[in-house]
């Protein structure tokens, strides 16, 4: 796929993530947006980790600028995009990619939210890091990544005949 096509697809998937953030639900102190995690898996499979990480950053930035997300959108999407992209590039395994998205977003992204919360949202927000960030991030990413996995598997069957 050419660079222009990859950039165009990354832009479309970024837009899907931003618009899809309207379909979020509150869990504890976080807003879960599973569409972002679905987009992360699509980017991992279709574009690779560099475009996936860039799309996750752009979507997080746009969500913040439009008032559709918080600062926690950055670690909540970018670690999952990076890890799922690297795992897919090395294994070409959809299940491993879904697990990498969940680990990257849920655990690593959730823990990375802790210093951001303390720095920008106050100590009280940081003190509840595990319950307020890790658990909701895991719920959100498992929903979105599993949905993406089902869609990717269906497309593969469709394309293979």
């Amino acid at each position: 796929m050419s660079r222009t096509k990859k950039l165009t697809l990354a832009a479309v998937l970024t837009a899907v993530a931003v618009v899809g953030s309207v379909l979020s639900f509150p869990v504890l102190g976080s807003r879960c947006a599973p569409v972002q995690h679905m987009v992360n898996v699509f980017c991992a499979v279709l574009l690779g980790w560099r475009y996936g990480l860039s799309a996750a950053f752009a979507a997080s930035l746009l969500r913040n600028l439009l008032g559709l997300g918080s600062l926690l959108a950055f670690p909540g999407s970018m670690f999952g995009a990076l890890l799922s992209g690297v795992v897919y590039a090395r294994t070409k395994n959809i299940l491993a990619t879904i697990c990498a998205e969940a680990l990257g977003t849920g655990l690593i992204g959730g823990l990375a939210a802790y210093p951001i919360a303390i720095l920008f949202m106050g100590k009280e927000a940081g003190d509840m890091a595990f319950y307020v960030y890790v658990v909701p991030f895991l719920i959100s990413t498992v929903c979105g990544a599993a949905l993406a996995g089902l869609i990717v598997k269906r497309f593969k069957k469709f394309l293979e005949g």
Side-chain angles (χ1 to χ4, degrees):
M1 185 181 308
S2 72
R3 278 184 153 179
T4 303
K5 286 182 182 179
K6 282 185 173 185
L7 188 58
T8 303
L9 183 55
V12 168
L13 289 171
T14 299
V16 168
V18 172
V19 172
S21 68
V22 174
L23 304 172
S24 66
F25 53 92
V27 175
L28 300 173
S30 176
R31 288 181 58 195
C32 297
V35 174
Q36 175 65 57
H37 311 296
M38 184 177 71
V39 167
N40 284 352
V41 173
F42 288 158
C43 285
V45 172
L46 299 171
L47 301 171
W49 70 268
R50 287 177 182 91
Y51 284 94
L53 184 60
S54 298
F57 175 80
S60 296
L61 182 62
L62 287 170
R63 286 172 58 199
N64 273 274
L65 291 173
L66 296 171
L68 299 172
S70 72
L71 290 174
L72 305 179
F74 290 98
S77 64
M78 293 176 64
F79 284 104
L82 173 63
L83 198 56
S84 63
V86 169
V87 166
Y88 187 78
R90 293 190 180 191
T91 68
K92 303 294 187 223
N93 183 305
I94 300 298
L95 183 59
T97 303
I98 291 168
C99 291
E101 165 63 25
L103 176 68
T105 295
L107 189 59
I108 299 170
L111 292 174
Y114 175 76
I116 292 171
I118 287 181
L119 187 61
F120 294 105
M121 302 165 90
K123 181 155 175 29
E124 309 81 42
D127 287 342
M128 300 184 301
F130 180 77
Y131 299 106
V132 178
Y133 308 126
V134 174
V135 173
F137 283 12
L138 275 171
I139 292 169
S140 180
T141 189
V142 167
C143 294
L147 181 60
L150 292 172
I151 292 170
V152 167
K153 281 198 176 277
R154 186 62 65 189
F155 270 118
K156 276 191 165 191
K157 286 181 183 179
F158 175 75
L159 294 173
E160 292 169 356

